[in-house]
Amino acid sequence: MDRRIKKNQEAIMKALLSLMAEKDFSKITINEIAERADVNRGTIYSHYMDKYDLLDACIETHLDQLMASCMPIEGVELFPSKNSLLRTFELMEKNASLYTTLLTNKGVPPFRNRVQAMLEKGIQEQITTNHHDLGLHTDVLVQFLSSATVGVIEWWFTHAMPYSAAEITDQLWTLLELNQMIPRTSPVQPL
């Protein structure tokens, strides 16, 4: 991709996200995005059909980064891995304003649902690949793991991240171990 095109797209996405931090997505106009990105309207329309297409592209870009961060390092760690979960929370912590905006902006189609769908797909693939047999129906296990994880992520952001990425990772990992959703790495005492 041409560097100029990439630079324009990054500026446009950054402008959208900064405006979303200030007001509902439904109230943002293409003119405001163009002005904030220091490009003309035509540049935006040369890359995106409308602001909804721009939002989708922005969400996909950040979901791809999130997914890449949570994948195990090939040959080094298994899935699920506490280290991959920690990398994911660290990425979210580093980009806290972005994820807070996407999770809390009233005018955004439910970002939470997109994150959960991404997790469901990844968990389903890992269960199929690794042949986990916990005596549970796969669809129930996938729903439980994805809902629990997204719920914790959403709570963490809507409560101004009261714990560090390392602390929230430890908490979530322990909960998953207690519910026998992942192999235990150390003895865990019941609460």
Side-chain angles (χ1 to χ4, degrees):
M1 178 186 300
D2 181 306
R3 282 192 325 202
R4 187 185 51 176
I5 291 171
K6 186 176 180 181
K7 184 178 176 184
N8 280 341
Q9 287 176 332
E10 288 173 356
I12 292 166
M13 285 186 187
K14 184 177 178 181
L16 173 64
L17 291 170
S18 71
L19 286 165
M20 286 173 57
E22 298 169 13
K23 60 183 175 178
D24 285 351
F25 175 75
S26 60
K27 295 180 179 170
I28 296 172
T29 67
I30 289 292
N31 285 340
E32 290 172 312
I33 298 167
E35 185 176 311
R36 180 79 51 105
D38 197 23
V39 299
N40 63 48
R41 287 173 48 98
T43 301
I44 294 175
Y45 286 119
S46 71
H47 300 294
Y48 310 102
M49 292 186 313
D50 54 25
K51 71 179 187 177
Y52 299 97
D53 187 38
L54 168 58
L55 178 63
D56 282 342
C58 189
I59 288 172
E60 286 305 313
T61 297
H62 292 288
L63 284 178
D64 288 346
Q65 290 173 357
L66 200 56
M67 187 65 168
S69 74
C70 71
M71 295 311 294
I73 298 172
E74 201 166 315
V76 177
E77 59 190 21
L78 299 173
F79 186 89
S81 151
K82 188 173 181 181
N83 287 334
S84 63
L85 185 61
L86 176 59
R87 283 193 306 275
T88 303
F89 272 104
E90 287 173 339
L91 176 67
M92 289 186 294
E93 185 177 53
K94 180 181 172 187
N95 297 295
S97 63
L98 162 78
Y99 292 105
T100 300
T101 297
L102 290 173
L103 283 166
T104 61
N105 191 292
K106 303 283 188 263
V108 176
F111 176 69
R112 179 190 199 284
N113 295 345
R114 302 263 304 265
V115 172
Q116 184 161 345
M118 177 192 73
L119 281 171
E120 287 172 1
K121 182 180 178 200
I123 292 167
Q124 177 70 50
E125 288 172 5
Q126 291 304 317
I127 289 171
T128 302
T129 302
N130 296 320
H131 308 290
H132 292 294
D133 185 14
L134 299 171
L136 298 168
H137 295 288
T138 300
D139 54 347
V140 173
L141 179 58
V142 167
Q143 185 63 37
F144 175 80
L145 290 173
S146 63
S147 296
T149 303
V150 170
V152 169
I153 291 168
E154 186 176 43
W155 174 87
W156 190 51
F157 281 111
T158 60
H159 287 83
M161 300 181 334
Y163 306 105
S164 70
E167 290 171 311
I168 199 71
T169 298
D170 285 341
Q171 293 289 304
L172 182 56
W173 194 259
T174 299
L175 289 169
L176 293 171
E177 284 180 325
L178 285 171
N179 287 286
Q180 300 177 8
M181 297 294 113
I182 53 174
R184 288 189 183 213
T185 55
S186 61
V188 177
Q189 300 299 318
L191 299 175

